[in-house]
């Protein structure tokens, strides 16, 4: 399951959104993953079955790009260096590419659970 989100609560209140957006941008920049060329969805752990299935559903180009970003970040980490500014992930390039697949799989799982828990009763024939 994905973590609870306050996004809808914050976006419905313009005054709160004006306050939170700069804070969120600062936090994302301070986290440092963009300086290694990663996107936010690259940080999602792969241990759960849901994430593994979502990774299998990625288009081949997106899957290749993800592996490339992870390997490049790992290499930068080993050499204790950051990428040059022109190769770092820009905020506009840091979009959610894996989260929609994860949400879709979780919805399918909930629906499957609901259908499996459904009890079907046979109607009795009313012969008078």
């Amino acid at each position: 399951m994905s973590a609870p989100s306050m996004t809808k609560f914050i976006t419905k209140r313009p005054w709160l959104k004006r306050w939170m957006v700069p804070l969120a941008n600062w936090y994302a920049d301070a986290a440092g993953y963009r300086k290694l060329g990663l996107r936010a969805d690259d940080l999602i752990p792969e241990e759960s079955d849901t994430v593994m299935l979502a990774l299998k559903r990625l288009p081949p180009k997106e899957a290749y790009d993800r592996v490339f970003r992870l390997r490049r970040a790992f290499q930068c980490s080993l050499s204790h260096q950051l990428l040059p500014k022109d190769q770092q992930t820009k905020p506009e390039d840091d979009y959610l590419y894996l989260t929609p697949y994860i949400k879709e799989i979780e919805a399918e799982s909930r629906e499957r659970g609901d259908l499996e828990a459904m009890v079907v009763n046979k109607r009795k024939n009313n012969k008078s």
Side-chain angles (χ1 to χ4, degrees), residues 29-88:
D29 191 45
Y33 65 88
R34 289 180 181 164
K35 294 176 183 173
L36 294 173
L38 296 173
R39 293 184 186 164
D41 277 358
D42 293 335
L43 305 177
I44 297 174
E46 299 177 7
E47 283 96 25
S48 75
D49 293 334
T50 305
V51 176
M52 292 299 290
L53 187 56
L55 289 171
K56 289 178 184 176
R57 290 187 184 183
L58 278 177
K61 170 100 171 81
E62 193 67 53
Y64 176 81
D65 290 346
R66 180 178 192 277
V67 170
F68 175 78
R69 287 190 302 271
L70 290 172
R71 287 185 179 180
R72 182 175 58 178
F74 185 70
Q75 189 64 37
C76 288
S77 178
L78 286 176
S79 63
H80 299 283
Q81 295 179 357
L82 298 176
L83 288 174
K85 282 278 191 191
D86 62 326
Q87 293 180 9
Q88 293 179 4

Side-chain angles (χ1 to χ4, degrees), residues 8-9 13 18 23 45 72 76-77 93 95 99-101 103-105 116 120 122-123:
K8 291 180 183 176
F9 178 80
R13 291 156 181 83
R18 278 193 308 271
L23 183 65
R72 182 175 58 178
C76 288
S77 178
D93 294 336
Y95 60 89
T99 304
Y101 291 102
K103 288 181 180 180
E104 178 183 319
I105 291 168
E116 289 175 354
V120 179
K122 280 189 164 182
R123 291 172 125 191

Side-chain angles (χ1 to χ4, degrees), residues 6-21:
M6 296 198 50
T7 305
K8 291 180 183 176
F9 178 80
I10 292 171
T11 55
K12 287 182 182 177
R13 291 156 181 83
W15 62 273
L16 187 57
K17 184 178 178 182
R18 278 193 308 271
W19 187 73
M20 291 298 286
V21 167

